Amino acid sequence: MIDHLLTAPTADTVRLTLLTKAGLDTWTAGANPAEAAWVKRLGFKAAPGATAILPGTEGQIARVLVGVADRLDIWSLAGLPGSLPAGSYVIDADLDAETATAVATGWVLATYQFTRYKRSNKEFASLVLPANADGAAVVRFAKAAFMVRDLVNTPCEDMGPAHLADAAEQLAAEFGATFTAIVGDDLLTQNYPMIHAVGRAAARAPRLIELRWGEASNPLVTLVGKGVCFDTGGLDIKPSAGMLLMKKDMGGAAHALGLARMIMAANLPVRLRVLVPAVENAIAGNAFRPMDILPTRKGLTVEIGNTDAEGRLILCDALAEADSEKPALLLDFATLTGAARVALGPDLPALFSNNDGLAAEILAAGIAKDDPLWRLPLWQGYRAQLDSKIADLNNAPGGGMAGAITAALYLEQFVSKDTVWAHVDLFSWNQSNRPGRPEGGEAMTLRAMFEVVATRFGSKQ
């Protein structure tokens, strides 16, 4: 199992009674008069997230009333682990399997702490796994989410390209996958010129990280993740405020590894390939420059309109390689554009896809799993903005309009029309503390994407 999730109640386990505002009246009518009076004195109205602790005769907690909305979701009980006294709690209601799994997942997510650099004495309450919950699913996602959060929260000093490769290698070893990496100038000899160009100015060498797992006879699912371990903006340098969160610019890589963890942990019947181009976009005498024209793995030439649009440059080489094997499904994840955040905010990742059926599946899974995305169009009317007078493409069209769409259109040039592909432009960060979602690195879309892969290619185990 995992910390703060128990398999069975103990003698001192406390019951959690979940009440809607309407249900509170029913509970009060049938309750012990002393308990009903106590709850009234507390002013408990069963507002979602509110609690009322009922004392026992010997100073113990007899029961906790918890206000909930009419529909329980993954975050409904996420405020409890950190607000209730430490101990063991059990939900005294029969929940369906989907709901039971969701609330248990939210409970565990709320116990995450990033303690690599600063210890914490915070204690959390533990939950007895509800009877109908899928414990394996709870653990599978919690471990993936914690890994993503840890990777994103770790600053670049300790999460450079080599460190990211180490994390992928450890993941591969855990599940018996194969790990390889192409490092430094070997990227040129093996025709990954864009990854090399973006990362060559950094003291720590760029690399293409690869993980393979699964039987050769199974359908190929390929995941690509943007691994910019820190982004100064390059010679088109960011202002200091713009750099403050740039340790999270490898969030796409973290998500690709997180989804890979879930797929391997569930032993889904797929052949998995993960590609992570890992670089630092740094500044030095050999940094790539605005107006440079650079080659790509696919053979297309790119004029550099802005060195701060580097994520799409490293992704295009990785996507071209991924596409060459004709996967049954190709997914990429990237903290790619501020335009997506302006359009949709930090909580709602932007989804682009060349396949309407796949997009519909992802959106439906996002709703079902409380893990939403919002589809934006690959609007071909904007394709001309990528044109260059002296190269095949420009990586950063001027004008500042439809930036998330033009970035996705750029990536689309490196994926065959018959490849089933989706691109996710996500934030990978919580800007403030909320129940189950502490400030800092965040895993987004993994539950939705896992559901799509599991539904398309085989049942979860």
Side-chain angles (χ1 to χ4, degrees):
M1 296 295 283
I2 199 166
D3 289 346
H4 308 294
L5 188 65
L6 308 177
T7 57
T10 61
D12 58 353
T13 294
V14 177
R15 290 177 295 164
L16 300 174
T17 299
L18 310 184
L19 296 173
T20 63
K21 290 182 179 180
L24 176 60
D25 291 337
T26 302
W27 179 88
T28 301
N32 177 296
E35 287 186 335
W38 175 254
V39 170
K40 183 178 181 180
R41 178 173 295 181
L42 291 176
F44 178 72
K45 304 294 185 182
T51 58
I53 295 178
L54 278 59
T57 57
E58 298 180 6
Q60 81 280 21
I61 299 175
R63 183 201 302 259
V64 178
L65 306 185
V66 181
V68 295
D70 291 335
R71 174 185 175 271
L72 293 175
D73 64 20
I74 190 170
W75 309 120
S76 292
L77 305 186
L80 301 184
S83 62
L84 292 176
S88 168
Y89 296 83
V90 65
I91 300 169
D92 65 352
D94 292 327
L95 304 177
D96 63 79
E98 192 76 18
T99 301
T101 303
V103 297
T105 300
W107 187 289
V108 174
L109 292 179
T111 67
Y112 172 82
Q113 296 183 92
F114 184 62
T115 57
R116 178 168 179 171
Y117 305 99
K118 183 178 181 179
R119 278 195 257 181
S120 172
N121 295 319
K122 174 73 175 177
E123 293 185 347
F124 293 97
S126 297
L127 179 70
V128 177
L129 185 70
N132 293 326
D134 183 344
V138 175
V139 172
R140 182 167 58 237
F141 175 67
K143 287 187 174 182
F146 287 5
M147 183 184 77
V148 171
R149 290 174 173 181
D150 281 348
L151 290 173
V152 175
N153 282 329
T154 303
C156 183
E157 182 69 16
D158 295 319
M159 191 49 64
H163 301 97
L164 190 55
D166 289 344
E169 187 171 16
Q170 291 168 15
L171 180 65
E174 181 178 348
F175 290 98
T178 301
F179 167 87
T180 57
I182 304 169
V183 181
D185 289 345
D186 286 346
L187 290 164
L188 293 176
T189 60
Q190 298 192 43
N191 192 27
Y192 294 97
M194 275 298 193
I195 301 172
H196 183 273
V198 173
R200 71 192 183 199
R204 296 183 286 188
R207 62 205 65 211
L208 178 64
I209 299 162
E210 181 173 9
L211 183 153
R212 288 183 182 267
W213 173 88
E215 300 294 331
S217 58
N218 288 335
L220 176 62
V221 173
T222 301
L223 312 177
V224 176
K226 173 187 169 184
V228 178
C229 295
F230 194 85
D231 181 19
T232 65
L235 291 175
D236 288 312
I237 190 169
K238 294 177 183 289
S240 59
M243 284 195 217
L244 285 177
L245 285 183
M246 284 301 100
K247 69 176 184 178
K248 78 171 185 66
D249 213 18
M250 40 61 67
H255 279 74
L257 294 173
L259 182 55
R261 166 179 276 282
M262 294 179 70
I263 289 170
M264 293 187 292
N267 197 28
L268 295 187
V270 300
R271 178 163 51 102
L272 179 65
R273 187 184 192 194
V274 181
L275 291 169
V276 172
V279 304
E280 291 178 62
N281 189 20
I283 299 171
N286 64 338
F288 74 115
R289 296 161 288 267
M291 305 300 286
D292 278 353
I293 296 177
L294 302 176
T296 66
R297 182 172 182 80
K298 188 172 181 177
L300 298 175
T301 56
V302 179
E303 182 180 13
I304 303 303
N306 193 308
T307 63
D308 196 21
E310 85 298 330
R312 67 201 70 180
L313 299 178
I314 65 171
L315 285 172
C316 75
D317 271 2
L319 284 172
E321 169 55 25
D323 185 65
S324 71
E325 285 196 339
K326 301 302 177 188
L329 178 63
L330 174 57
L331 303 173
D332 82 71
F333 303 86
T335 52
L336 203 62
T337 68
R341 308 289 74 77
V342 171
L344 300 175
D347 294 345
L348 199 56
L351 171 69
F352 298 86
S353 181
N354 63 358
N355 185 283
D356 290 341
L358 173 63
E361 290 175 34
I362 293 171
L363 295 176
I367 292 171
K369 296 298 178 180
D370 297 315
D371 198 16
L373 304 89
W374 196 269
R375 190 181 186 187
L376 295 180
L378 288 165
W379 182 249
Q380 297 303 315
Y382 298 153
R383 168 60 184 82
Q385 294 185 36
L386 299 174
D387 289 344
S388 165
K389 294 179 180 178
I390 54 175
D392 293 317
L393 296 166
N394 187 300
N395 77 318
M401 301 189 72
I405 296 174
T406 55
L409 287 170
Y410 176 91
L411 296 180
E412 187 186 28
Q413 308 312 303
F414 299 87
V415 178
S416 299
K417 293 186 183 299
D418 59 350
T419 297
V420 179
W421 165 66
H423 158 62
V424 179
D425 187 337
L426 43 71
F427 194 50
S428 195
W429 192 263
N430 292 316
Q431 294 179 293
S432 59
N433 288 310
R434 293 171 293 172
R437 291 158 286 183
E439 181 179 352
E442 184 58 292
M444 314 173 87
T445 79
L446 293 189
R447 297 188 303 280
M449 290 301 189
F450 177 81
E451 187 68 16
V452 169
V453 175
T455 300
R456 279 196 163 223
F457 301 111
S459 300
K460 302 181 287 293
Q461 297 182 10

